[in-house]
Amino acid sequence: MKVLVTGTHFTPAQAVIEVLRKYQSSKIIYVGRKSTREGDPTPSPESSIIPKLGIKFIPLISGRFQYTFTRYTILSLLKLPIGFLHAFYIVSSEQPDIILSFGGYISVPIIIAGWLLSIPVIIHQQTLIEGLSIKLSYPFADKICLSFPSLTSKGSTKEVVTGNPLRKEILTKNYSPSQKILEFINSSKNHLPLIIITGGNQGSHVINKTVERILPNILSKAKIIHQTGDSKFLDYDQLVKVRESLQYKNNYLVTKWISSEDMAYLLKSADLVISRAGINTLTELAYFKTPAILIPIPYLFGNEQEVNANFFAKIGLVQIILQKDLSGDKLLKVIDDSLS
């Protein structure tokens, strides 16, 4: 069976691919983004990881609707028809037996091409609300797999409740973090709380700059592992310089990325996590029951991340700081309250 996997929500896609690879009869190809966004050459997670797994990766040329106007907006819109033609070419050339989508703008033309060519389509919906890509793709899908049925169900016979797949690194009983992570965590003679700060694969410039302002106030009472991402803002380079001037610099580890194995271990070990409010991160935090401070991205379709954050706040797992209210003083106070 040949499975074409597509979508921009890569974490659950990776979890399902890990299972599919156990079957010798399955052949997998992945259609995704070459880079994270227009104007940013940073490779997408799927373009970096999929080829290393020995799976064929095909970058799709496509545009998307943007929620804020930038100098790339017009170019992105002009690429929309190209994306549909390119998707039709890929699907007709590869002739998969089934298409498995994990949402995002990149999946829409592939799904429609599959429908036109009478190829069965399965969509997995991670989020608590329907994203624009899910709304557009719903009529063309044979099955919709839901993570949260009570909030997303339309009562259609297409829908199947599956939950949100977790990666094998999260589910393992034998965590194998890198030596660098272990040495950092075990380096302090005094036991200090461990805080993980992450803005996702791409990082968050807003979070990075806010944390930079309050580092001297935190590091005397906690150890921090800070994943900055790698973007045009060069936050990693700036924070490496800042670290050298800090009194408690040995309590601060700054890195562009954190591997899946390391992140699984850190989410399990952390006393507190500071992050955006992507549904996959929240699912993993819930699995480990790890407390978190969430700063939702404010400009996504349907205010998706704030909806995610509110759902998990109601069950007592997280505290929320809206980006419009974010400041160094505010974040520091919530950190202090959380640690105490």
Side-chain angles (χ1 to χ4, degrees), residues 14 51-52 80 97 102 158 192 200 202 210 265 270 314 332:
Q14 187 179 1
K52 294 177 183 177
L80 284 172
D97 296 296
F102 290 89
K158 288 184 178 183
L192 293 173
Q202 300 172 29
T210 305
Y265 177 78
K314 287 178 181 177
L332 184 61

Side-chain angles (χ1 to χ4, degrees), residues 11-29:
T11 301
Q14 187 179 1
V16 174
I17 287 170
E18 288 165 356
V19 177
L20 287 174
R21 294 181 74 201
K22 295 179 181 179
Y23 298 91
Q24 293 183 347
S25 60
S26 67
K27 181 178 180 181
I28 305 165
I29 57 173

Side-chain angles (χ1 to χ4, degrees), residues 103-319:
Y105 73 96
I106 210 80
S107 67
V108 177
I110 292 291
I111 288 169
I112 294 176
W115 178 75
L116 289 171
L117 294 168
S118 300
I119 297 169
V121 173
I122 299 173
I123 296 174
H124 182 263
Q125 181 179 330
Q126 301 85 39
T127 54
L128 289 153
I129 63 169
E130 280 187 331
L132 181 59
S133 66
I134 297 291
K135 286 182 180 290
L136 294 174
S137 303
Y138 201 102
F140 306 102
D142 295 275
K143 289 292 179 183
I144 312 288
C145 299
L146 302 175
S147 294
F148 299 92
S150 61
L151 297 180
T152 54
S153 176
K154 293 182 178 180
S156 169
T157 55
K158 288 184 178 183
E159 296 172 342
V160 180
V161 179
T162 62
N164 198 16
L166 294 172
R167 297 170 290 169
K168 64 180 180 181
E169 292 88 353
I170 298 294
L171 298 172
T172 184
K173 294 180 180 178
N174 301 307
Y175 296 97
S176 54
S178 64
Q179 193 64 30
K180 179 176 76 170
I181 293 295
L182 283 176
E183 287 178 356
F184 175 79
I185 291 176
N186 297 325
S187 62
S188 177
K189 294 180 181 179
N190 301 319
H191 175 71
L192 293 173
L194 177 63
I195 300 175
I196 309 302
I197 301 172
T198 174
N201 291 308
Q202 300 172 29
S204 166
H205 180 61
V206 171
I207 293 176
N208 292 342
K209 295 305 290 184
T210 305
V211 169
E212 179 185 338
R213 291 192 284 271
I214 61 173
L215 278 172
N217 304 97
I218 310 174
L219 292 176
S220 62
K221 49 198 169 188
K223 303 188 77 166
I224 293 177
I225 298 178
H226 185 175
Q227 182 256 322
T228 64
D230 183 19
S231 71
K232 62 183 179 181
F233 299 108
L234 303 177
D235 290 338
Y236 171 79
D237 304 87
Q238 170 64 14
L239 286 164
V240 167
K241 294 177 184 176
V242 169
R243 180 186 179 276
E244 292 308 307
S245 67
L246 296 170
Q247 180 180 357
Y248 296 98
K249 65 180 181 181
N250 291 333
N251 290 342
Y252 183 53
L253 176 63
V254 58
T255 180
K256 289 183 179 180
W257 299 287
I258 299 175
S259 71
S260 296
E261 293 80 5
D262 283 344
M263 185 58 83
Y265 177 78
L266 291 173
L267 292 180
K268 180 179 182 294
S269 306
D271 296 285
L272 181 66
V273 172
I274 300 171
S275 78
R276 291 300 200 179
I279 199 65
N280 297 308
T281 298
L282 289 174
T283 304
E284 293 175 354
L285 288 170
Y287 179 76
F288 290 123
K289 301 179 183 178
T290 306
I293 298 170
L294 303 183
I295 304 160
I297 297 174
Y299 48 78
L300 298 182
F301 180 82
N303 207 11
E304 174 185 307
Q305 287 208 355
E306 190 173 336
V307 173
N308 294 344
N310 286 331
F311 179 85
F312 284 87
K314 287 178 181 177
I315 60 175
L317 184 67
V318 307
Q319 296 185 73

